[in-house]
């Protein structure tokens, strides 16, 4: 009989983009919510235990956003504000790393902003070696450069590490033709091509990140991480969210 286990991984190597809010409290309250962090970590641990090579790009919006310091105020320059946001992603990475390791999951935290006392510098070949050893690699510090988002970091690292899919975890269950929070009749797309996203002017991720994925032919799966077992379902290729392919 054919194998019908729908929980078996579809992808061998995955790049997961987690927003900082995934580890936060929500509702505008800043900080790291240890319960939410543990809930995310439990899913990541099960994904790694299934044999999937997992890299995670983490945001920092639950702690601060660079734009909040530079908008309408010239005292803190935009580049400085962005570097502050990169440091926030390292704080989230440390919290996620310790939570995973408390569960017995081997991890490595790599930062694009060098700070060797708390994280390895991001080195592509070293990251690949960690993945091959089934360590979860947490990628913090964005790209190490201001004026680009952690979406761009996810697209860049996913391309560099030859991931088979970029999983973009959001609070919305996929890509819609309008904002589902404002329009109860918004239509959800199950599948899209990169060209369709451009033609329909759909906001999958920022344009630089999207174009990088398009050129690399790196599929993007947009899904709601708040749903029970969503990350595992996404890795298994179950019908969840919206998949964007070439």
């Amino acid at each position: 009989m054919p194998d019908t286990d729908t929980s078996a991984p579809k992808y061998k190597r995955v790049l997961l983009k987690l927003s900082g809010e995934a580890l936060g409290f929500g509702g505008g309250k800043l900080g790291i919510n240890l319960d939410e962090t543990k809930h995310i970590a439990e899913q990541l641990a099960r994904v790694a235990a299934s044999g999937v090579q997992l890299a995670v790009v983490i945001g920092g919006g639950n702690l601060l956003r660079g734009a909040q310091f530079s908008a309408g105020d010239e005292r803190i320059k935009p580049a400085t504000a962005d570097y502050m946001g990169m440091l926030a992603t390292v704080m989230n990475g440390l919290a996620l790393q310790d939570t995973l390791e408390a569960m017995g999951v081997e991890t490595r935290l790599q930062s694009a902003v060098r700070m060797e006392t708390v994280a390895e510098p991001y080195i592509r070949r070293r990251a690949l070696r960690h993945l091959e050893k089934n360590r979860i690699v947490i990628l913090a510090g964005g790209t190490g450069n201001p004026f680009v988002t952690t979406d761009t970091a996810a697209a860049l690292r996913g391309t560099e590490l030859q991931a088979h899919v970029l999983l973009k975890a959001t609070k919305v269950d996929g890509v819609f033709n309008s904002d589902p929070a404002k329009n109860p009749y918004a239509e959800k797309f199950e599948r899209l091509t990169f060209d369709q996203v451009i033609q329909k002017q759909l906001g999958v991720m920022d344009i630089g990140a999207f174009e990088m994925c398009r050129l690399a032919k790196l599929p993007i799966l947009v899904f709601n991480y708040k749903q029970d077992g969503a990350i595992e379902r996404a890795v298994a290729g179950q019908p969840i969210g919206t998949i964007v392919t070439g």
Side-chain angles (χ1 to χ4, degrees):
M1 299 227 5
D3 184 4
T4 58
D5 182 5
T6 58
S7 66
K10 176 179 179 180
Y11 306 103
K12 178 62 177 176
R13 181 176 295 163
V14 168
L15 190 294
L16 172 65
K17 166 56 171 58
L18 274 180
S19 66
E21 286 85 347
L23 307 185
F25 293 93
K29 180 181 177 181
L30 297 180
I32 297 174
N33 185 327
L34 296 182
D35 289 335
E36 290 294 331
T37 303
K38 181 174 181 287
H39 177 67
I40 293 288
E42 288 171 340
Q43 291 195 64
L44 302 188
R46 290 193 292 267
V47 168
S50 71
V52 173
Q53 297 176 7
L54 178 60
V56 182
V57 168
I58 188 78
N62 59 313
L63 298 174
L64 65 84
R65 291 183 180 276
Q68 77 190 72
F69 289 96
S70 57
D73 193 327
E74 296 182 355
R75 286 175 293 183
I76 296 181
K77 302 301 182 187
T80 302
D82 279 0
Y83 281 118
M84 292 167 68
M86 293 178 213
L87 299 181
T89 71
V90 177
M91 294 171 65
N92 279 336
L94 286 166
L96 184 59
Q97 179 181 46
D98 268 17
T99 304
L100 282 163
E101 292 191 342
M103 300 173 182
V105 181
E106 195 171 2
T107 73
R108 290 294 185 273
L109 174 63
Q110 294 194 338
S111 172
V113 179
R114 297 182 72 92
M115 47 182 78
E116 281 85 341
T117 55
V118 297
E120 294 181 359
Y122 171 74
I123 299 173
R124 173 181 169 273
R125 291 176 66 90
R126 183 179 291 179
L128 286 168
R129 184 60 175 157
H130 291 323
L131 291 173
E132 290 166 356
K133 287 180 173 290
N134 204 37
R135 297 164 180 156
I136 295 179
V137 180
I138 303 168
L139 301 165
T143 66
N145 301 288
F147 311 120
V148 292
T149 67
T150 49
D151 274 356
T152 299
L156 176 61
R157 301 301 182 226
T159 301
E160 284 183 302
L161 299 176
Q162 297 178 298
H164 300 134
V165 67
L166 191 160
L167 303 181
K168 180 174 169 58
T170 72
K171 294 181 180 179
V172 181
D173 186 28
V175 181
F176 292 76
N177 61 353
S178 63
D179 187 347
K182 298 178 181 178
N183 177 13
Y185 303 104
E187 176 189 354
K188 174 188 167 184
F189 299 100
E190 302 293 336
R191 301 185 66 88
L192 288 164
T193 66
F194 289 106
D195 288 342
Q196 286 173 327
V197 171
I198 295 171
Q199 292 165 3
K200 297 177 184 292
Q201 298 183 327
L202 302 172
V204 173
M205 53 174 51
D206 77 69
I207 189 63
F210 177 81
E211 183 64 11
M212 192 178 299
C213 290
R214 186 184 72 83
L215 291 174
K217 296 181 172 58
L218 175 61
I220 306 166
L221 178 61
V222 183
F223 69 102
N224 182 358
Y225 69 89
K226 288 285 191 179
Q227 294 180 357
D228 188 41
I231 298 174
E232 296 158 277
R233 292 174 58 204
V235 171
Q238 294 181 20
I240 182 174
T242 302
I243 184 75
V244 183
T245 65

